[in-house]
Amino acid sequence: DAGVTQSPTHLIKTRGQQVTLRCSPISGHKSVSWYQQVLGQGPQFIFQYYEKEERGRGNFPDRFSARQFPNYSSELNVNALLLGDSALYLCASSLRGQSNQPQHFGDGTRLSIL
Amino acid sequence: AQKITQTQPGMFVQEKEAVTLDCTYDTSDPSYGLFWYKQPSSGEMIFLIYQGSYDQQNATEGRYSLNFQKARKSANLVISASQLGDSAMYFCAMREGLSGGFKTIFGAGTRLFVKA
């Protein structure tokens, strides 16, 4: 079975632009979470979606938004990009997003802002 | 507020020896899950082991075991018989079951170096 897939792998943008990152969960998984990992730090929680509804949000500005589609895939959108948005963006899926269920991560999208 | 602390930025271990990576957590939620992940230099995050707050026994998965001390709020990862391929960043993470809003928080990580 395929794992969590993310696209694109790498992305280069300039300040002020907008970006959309995509994620396909493991088949059968209905919960998707997004994380930002700045170099040298642990992942920071951005969003969690379950059954197409937002179930959790981290301390990120409104420039960050996401959605989940009927097939449980997800997109993360970031508007008005800043230099500080340069990071590895990780998507993770789990069966239902409960506290006793491990999350399985994709390989991430490395976003560089020039 | 939930918090994860990993106090060891880097650890060295000789190949074939055991190593313990420390993790302490803080939460007021009686229901929570604790996770350890491995992140090699290639970047992918690999799930290693899970411990539930109500689990009576320490979790084990192959060479990985979790030393869960609930009263001390610690969840240390023990890797037995270290291998060169174990060299990576290791993250401890927690998800609260009731009040966490489905948020998972991660510690700052510990970089493990396995010496031949």
Side-chain angles (χ1 to χ4, degrees):
Chain A
D1 285 342
V4 177
T5 58
Q6 292 186 244
S7 63
T9 306
H10 294 87
L11 204 51
I12 299 175
K13 292 286 188 178
T14 57
R15 284 178 294 175
Q17 285 189 310
Q18 174 265 340
V19 68
T20 298
L21 310 181
R22 295 176 175 81
C23 172
S24 293
I26 291 172
S27 178
H29 285 192
K30 299 183 177 181
S31 175
V32 169
S33 296
W34 287 96
Y35 296 85
Q36 181 195 67
Q37 187 178 22
V38 173
L39 194 62
Q41 298 181 17
Q44 298 293 313
F45 173 78
I46 309 176
F47 288 110
Q48 184 190 5
Y49 278 77
Y50 174 62
E51 290 283 14
K52 303 181 288 297
E53 291 189 8
E54 181 185 303
R55 297 301 182 96
R57 173 186 283 257
N59 295 325
F60 280 81
D62 292 342
R63 299 185 296 108
F64 289 76
S65 63
R67 54 180 174 169
Q68 186 177 31
F69 298 98
N71 67 354
Y72 303 110
S73 67
S74 178
E75 286 182 351
L76 175 70
N77 296 286
V78 187
N79 294 323
L81 287 166
L82 304 174
L83 293 178
D85 296 330
S86 294
L88 178 67
Y89 288 83
L90 295 165
C91 172
S93 75
S94 62
L95 282 171
R96 292 183 299 279
Q98 294 172 325
S99 65
N100 63 344
Q101 294 171 352
Q103 295 178 93
H104 300 273
F105 285 79
D107 290 344
T109 294
R110 192 164 296 279
L111 177 63
S112 299
I113 310 301
L114 303 179
Chain B
Q2 52 180 333
K3 184 179 179 181
I4 293 281
T5 302
Q6 295 181 256
T7 57
Q8 306 155 314
M11 288 281 288
F12 286 86
V13 65
Q14 196 67 39
E15 192 179 12
K16 300 180 183 178
E17 292 185 350
V19 63
T20 297
L21 306 184
D22 295 341
C23 172
T24 58
Y25 61 91
D26 189 22
T27 180
S28 56
D29 195 323
S31 175
Y32 52 90
L34 295 160
F35 305 85
W36 278 92
Y37 291 88
K38 172 185 178 182
Q39 189 175 43
S41 56
S42 51
E44 75 271 27
M45 195 77 73
I46 302 167
F47 165 70
L48 297 178
I49 196 167
Y50 160 80
Q51 181 84 43
S53 58
Y54 295 117
D55 292 345
Q56 295 298 311
Q57 293 188 328
N58 288 343
T60 60
E61 290 286 348
R63 295 187 299 111
Y64 305 106
S65 61
L66 201 153
N67 184 2
F68 181 46
Q69 298 187 44
K70 193 171 182 177
R72 300 177 63 178
K73 294 188 175 180
S74 73
N76 298 338
L77 176 70
V78 180
I79 305 174
S80 63
S82 297
Q83 302 172 355
L84 295 178
D86 294 335
S87 294
M89 280 292 287
Y90 289 80
F91 292 98
C92 180
M94 177 175 68
R95 173 177 286 184
E96 292 175 334
L98 300 177
S99 60
F102 295 90
K103 179 191 297 187
T104 300
I105 62 164
F106 284 77
T110 296
R111 183 169 294 281
L112 179 65
F113 299 91
V114 181
K115 300 181 291 183

